[in-house]
Amino acid sequence: QVRLVESGGGLVQPGDSLRLSCAASRSIFSIRRMDWYRQAPGKERDMVATITSGGSIDYADSVKDRFTISRDSAKNTVTLQMNSLKPEDTAVYYCHALTGFLHYWGQGTQVTVSS
């Protein structure tokens, strides 16, 4: 079992940057895949960025070239660096971990992009 705690959300203006962190309660070295998802009001929860234990990375088309995901196994954290933020990036951002066939979610952190 693993507990995930997100941090780093907030209110920013368009064009600003934010860095989200996901702290895991145990070693993430063997966690097969860790992701960031987001859910805007009235919309489905969608994958934003994913990183595997082998280092493979993928992004949603809407955030490519703006967001960067990374994992630090020594600190048991996964981060999402978000640059050039847009109003449409406004959502609750969730950290997700896939271990074997078990899915774990954090409680989410709100990101609001507004002028």
Side-chain angles (χ1 to χ4, degrees):
Q1 189 172 359
V2 57
R3 189 167 69 94
L4 304 171
V5 179
E6 302 97 334
S7 62
L11 172 63
V12 296
Q13 294 187 340
D16 285 352
S17 298
L18 271 179
R19 186 178 180 89
L20 305 183
S21 291
C22 172
S25 60
R26 68 162 180 83
S27 172
I28 65 170
F29 181 79
S30 61
I31 293 180
R32 178 154 44 120
R33 196 185 82 213
M34 296 194 72
D35 323 275
W36 285 96
Y37 281 72
R38 68 185 181 188
Q39 187 168 21
K43 295 189 176 181
E44 295 184 352
R45 189 175 297 188
D46 294 323
M47 189 276 289
V48 174
T50 184
I51 185 166
T52 69
S53 56
S56 296
I57 291 174
D58 196 16
Y59 297 98
D61 287 343
S62 59
V63 306
K64 280 181 181 177
D65 300 323
R66 298 189 299 122
F67 290 11
T68 302
I69 188 172
S70 60
R71 62 191 281 168
D72 187 336
S73 294
K75 296 182 179 179
N76 298 328
T77 58
V78 175
T79 60
L80 184 68
Q81 177 66 41
M82 306 186 294
N83 298 328
S84 302
L85 284 161
K86 305 175 180 180
E88 51 263 43
D89 295 319
T90 295
V92 178
Y93 284 70
Y94 295 92
C95 182
H96 168 263
L98 176 63
T99 68
F101 298 101
L102 298 177
H103 296 264
Y104 298 94
W105 294 91
Q107 82 288 349
T109 186
Q110 177 70 47
V111 172
T112 302
V113 185
S114 175
S115 56

